[in-house]
Structures are given as structure tokens and as C-alpha cells.
Amino acid sequence: MSAMARSNPLRDPQQYNERFKVQIYIHEPCGLIFPDVTGVGREMLGLCFLLDLLIKSEVIQMQNQRNGSSDESPSESETFRKEAGQVIKKMKTTLQFLPKPVPELEDYLDSQGLSLFFPRVEVFLIHGHPIEMLEKPAIDGHFEHICKLNQLLVLSQLLQDHVQDNNQHKYIALCIALLYRALQQFPDSILLNSYCRDIEANFSTINSSLQQEANSTAKPVLPEEHVSWLCKMTGGLLRTVRSLPYELSDGLSPAIAAVLPFSDHSGAFSRRADAK
């Protein structure tokens, strides 16, 4: 042991050099890079959306605690603290791709107008805990509007699939009723109101044609003329929703305004807004 202690080491350890640091992206999408300032902006926009949803959900949970029988004052959950902390950490890491000097997180959100679209995020960064907003942020309706549009797409496609399968014809009347209710969520849409009237004119006949007689074991099958009408109606509805006419995109305006500065197609969006 004494001889080993007196001998020279085989290798001298080198001082750590940050250039050789390997970035860990195991939880990130493939090919995630921030080549420019716009790329950083897109990533920050997505993180703001994510953090805003986390805060909104946690505020609802805290309200439920407050309305419950517990006398304890509501506090944020450990899960929320962990998830929100991860998002904020990712935000700060993303800012490191900006040119030096790197701005503080709050300053960056203010300079890019993101604090205006995501006031919950701004308040959370200042106070450190989720706070109920007295005034509903304009961007809150974005996901609700997307869900309504998605309902129309899913139900229309489901009806088209059921028409092709005789074993599913017994569910067609129910799907049409659900589609009608989804259409009624857009009472101010002239385009969608025409589909409502079309369903009102044909639903009773279709429902009657699918009614089974007592003790009958035969599966109900929709008559060919109704199949043709249903395919035409759902096909037109799918094309209408996917084209996103102005009257169906109003609910997306706040989100489009937030995305616009970070979009490669900002010129196209601007022309569309001007035309409107």
C-alpha cells in the first residue's frame, strides 16, 4: 500500500469542461431545436398554454376544497407544485437559447405580450401560487371552442362509419340526435343552422324506419334514400368545419393573436384578419 501511495497516478483527471455536456431530451419530441428567436417564442407559447391549463385546473380544485366541508384553507397540491415547477424550469432553460444577455422570465413574457394573453401565468410567477382571476381571460374560450368543433367532426365521421356497417345502423338515430345537440352549440352560425333544419326535417322519418317491431330479431337497416341523405349531409358538414369559415373561427381569435408573432404564416393570418 505504501508503494502504491508513492507511485504516480496513471492518469491526471481533467477539469470538467461544459462544452462536453450532453443535453438530455428524453421527454422532448424528436428533433426539438430552437434555431432562432422565433423558435424560442413558439416553445414559450406552448409552455404558457400548458402552465395556464395547470393553474386553471388547480384553481378549480381549490374552489372545490373551499366549497367542501373541510374547515382548512385550500392549498395547492403537491402534484401541481411538481408539474408547474417542471414547466417553469423548462421555460427558463428555453430562454437560454436567446442571444445574450438572456432576459428574466417575467420580462420576456411582458416584452412578447404573453403576459397579456396569459394573466394567470404572470400572476403565478409573481405570487408563487395559483390565484383565481376576477375577470376571465379572453383566451379561456379557445379550448372550449376547439372541443365544440371537434365534436362536430367526430360525430359526422362516426355517422359516416355507421352507415357503411349495417350492424351499426341501430345507433344512427342516437348519433344524429347527438350531432344535432352539438350543432346547437353554435346558435349564431348561419351555415350550421342550415344543417340543424335539415336534421329536423328528416329525423322523425329516419327514427321511425329504424324502429324494430315487437319480438323481431332482424337488425334495423336504414333505407338507401336515407343513407344517401346522411352521407351528403355529414360530408357537407365535414367540409364546412374543416374549412374554418370566419363565423366558426371567431372563438379562436385570441389564440390566433397570441400565436401570430411566432408563426411562419403570420402574413397569411394578417391578410385573413384584414379581409374579415
Side-chain angles (χ1 to χ4, degrees):
M1 291 292 294
S2 60
M4 292 178 61
R6 290 195 298 270
S7 63
N8 294 326
L10 297 178
R11 278 279 193 182
D12 290 328
Q14 298 293 321
Q15 185 177 2
Y16 170 73
N17 193 323
E18 192 175 355
R19 291 183 303 169
F20 301 108
K21 180 180 179 180
V22 178
Q23 296 291 338
I24 305 300
Y25 291 112
I26 190 171
H27 298 298
E28 302 293 348
C30 293
L32 180 64
I33 56 175
F34 310 110
D36 52 25
V37 174
T38 302
V40 171
R42 292 194 194 103
E43 180 68 7
M44 291 296 290
L45 178 65
L47 292 171
C48 283
F49 267 115
L50 177 57
L51 184 55
D52 186 67
L53 285 175
L54 288 174
I55 297 171
K56 183 179 179 180
S57 176
E58 188 65 17
V59 167
I60 293 174
Q61 294 296 328
M62 293 172 65
Q63 288 175 342
N64 292 338
Q65 291 181 32
R66 189 181 298 113
N67 296 332
S69 57
S70 176
D71 295 332
E72 298 180 1
S73 58
S75 60
E76 61 266 27
S77 64
E78 186 62 32
T79 300
F80 168 77
R81 292 195 192 100
K82 180 180 179 180
E83 293 179 347
Q86 290 174 346
V87 175
I88 293 175
K89 181 179 179 181
K90 190 176 293 187
M91 283 180 163
K92 293 180 178 179
T93 301
T94 300
L95 289 182
Q96 300 305 311
F97 290 88
L98 291 173
K100 307 300 181 185
V102 176
E104 294 294 330
L105 179 54
E106 294 87 343
D107 294 337
Y108 177 82
L109 297 182
D110 286 339
S111 66
Q112 300 301 311
L114 292 174
S115 56
L116 176 64
F117 292 106
F118 303 97
R120 288 193 194 89
V121 172
E122 182 184 36
V123 172
F124 178 73
L125 292 174
I126 294 173
H127 296 280
H129 56 272
I131 297 177
E132 181 181 358
M133 303 297 295
L134 297 178
E135 185 175 348
K136 184 178 179 180
I139 208 165
D140 269 15
H142 169 72
F143 291 106
E144 181 181 351
H145 193 79
I146 287 291
C147 287
K148 291 178 182 179
L149 293 174
N150 187 61
Q151 280 184 325
L152 297 180
L153 292 174
V154 170
L155 290 171
S156 296
Q157 188 61 62
L158 183 63
L159 277 167
Q160 289 191 341
D161 293 341
H162 283 352
V163 164
Q164 305 302 323
D165 185 356
N166 290 349
N167 293 324
Q168 303 297 323
H169 281 201
K170 59 184 176 181
Y171 302 116
I172 285 179
L174 173 61
C175 289
I176 293 176
L178 292 174
L179 178 60
Y180 181 76
R181 291 188 62 181
L183 287 166
Q184 287 186 314
Q185 296 181 97
F186 299 88
D188 299 326
S189 172
I190 298 175
L191 288 173
L192 297 186
N193 284 342
S194 64
Y195 291 101
C196 284
R197 293 191 296 270
D198 207 6
I199 291 176
E200 291 168 357
N202 291 274
F203 181 76
S204 296
T205 306
I206 290 177
N207 191 36
S208 298
S209 68
L210 293 173
Q211 295 298 319
Q212 289 180 278
E213 297 181 1
N215 302 323
S216 174
T217 58
K219 296 179 180 179
V221 177
L222 193 65
E224 187 61 34
E225 62 269 21
H226 296 322
V227 169
S228 178
W229 167 80
L230 192 56
C231 288
K232 181 179 179 181
M233 188 271 292
T234 53
L237 183 55
L238 285 170
R239 288 190 296 271
T240 297
V241 176
R242 286 169 177 165
S243 67
L244 268 184
Y246 293 139
E247 63 181 75
L248 295 184
S249 60
D250 279 347
L252 307 178
S253 297
I256 291 176
V259 172
L260 194 59
F262 312 109
S263 173
D264 291 334
H265 307 287
S266 57
F269 278 120
S270 297
R271 288 192 296 273
R272 180 174 180 178
D274 292 340
K276 184 175 180 180

